[in-house]
Amino acid sequence: MGNQKLRWTEEEEEALKAGVAKHGTGKWKNILADPEFNRKLILRSNVDLKDKWRNLCVTVEQGSGANRTPNGQASTSRVLPPRTKDNVNDKHSSSSRRAKNAPPTAKPRLCFTAKEVEDAAKTIAKHVAEAETSLLLQLKL
């Protein structure tokens, strides 16, 4: 299975691109099973391949405006602008702003009042007495 922290080498990226060119997008298990690529991608899972391919495809050619996949073929999928550290930080800071500006929520109650405890004790005592009476009646029969 793939290792999340392992950086992709140039050789692995090239094998992935060649595998997609040969087998097509979405055929990750076929790419891993192909003897031409499995030695280079031995440490990767099909999910690793899918994620890396998605990240490789998140580029937009400058100037021409044409959407291209990493192997140069036209892409029919939606291509997103490249992610930058600022984009990621903006996303998190906007969500934290929403949390700060959100109306206060009711705090959960951590204890009961003395009257609530007394009422609960009476109710429990009543149910215990009923259960004892019922049990005694069953034993006498």
Side-chain angles (χ1 to χ4, degrees):
M1 191 160 253
N3 184 348
Q4 261 185 320
K5 301 293 181 184
L6 192 61
R7 285 189 161 274
W8 279 76
T9 64
E10 196 67 34
E11 183 181 29
E12 287 175 317
E13 287 184 17
E14 292 305 317
L16 174 60
K17 291 175 188 179
V20 170
K22 181 175 180 179
H23 295 284
T25 305
K27 304 295 183 184
W28 313 120
K29 287 186 179 182
N30 295 350
I31 295 170
L32 288 173
D34 191 322
E36 185 179 346
F37 311 114
N38 67 0
R39 280 175 273 130
K40 296 175 186 171
L41 300 171
I42 190 103
L43 298 175
R44 303 298 178 176
S45 70
N46 54 343
V47 175
D48 292 334
L49 271 57
K50 173 187 65 80
D51 290 343
K52 183 62 176 179
W53 185 254
R54 183 187 65 225
N55 289 330
L56 288 172
C57 289
V58 179
T59 58
V60 177
E61 273 188 24
Q62 299 295 326
S64 70
N67 297 338
R68 300 260 174 213
T69 61
N71 62 2
Q73 297 174 343
S75 172
T76 57
S77 63
R78 188 178 94 197
V79 177
L80 303 173
R83 290 172 40 183
T84 64
K85 187 175 183 199
D86 293 337
N87 296 120
V88 174
N89 287 341
D90 287 346
K91 174 188 170 196
H92 293 296
S93 64
S94 66
S95 65
S96 63
R97 279 195 304 270
R98 280 192 299 270
K100 289 177 187 173
N101 297 334
T105 58
K107 292 182 180 176
R109 202 168 64 173
L110 301 176
C111 58
F112 296 100
T113 65
K115 177 154 178 28
E116 290 172 326
V117 171
E118 185 181 329
D119 290 344
K122 286 179 184 177
T123 303
I124 291 170
K126 177 183 166 188
H127 287 292
V128 167
E130 289 173 0
E132 287 175 345
T133 304
S134 174
L135 185 61
L136 287 174
L137 288 174
Q138 288 177 0
L139 290 175
K140 287 182 181 178
L141 295 177

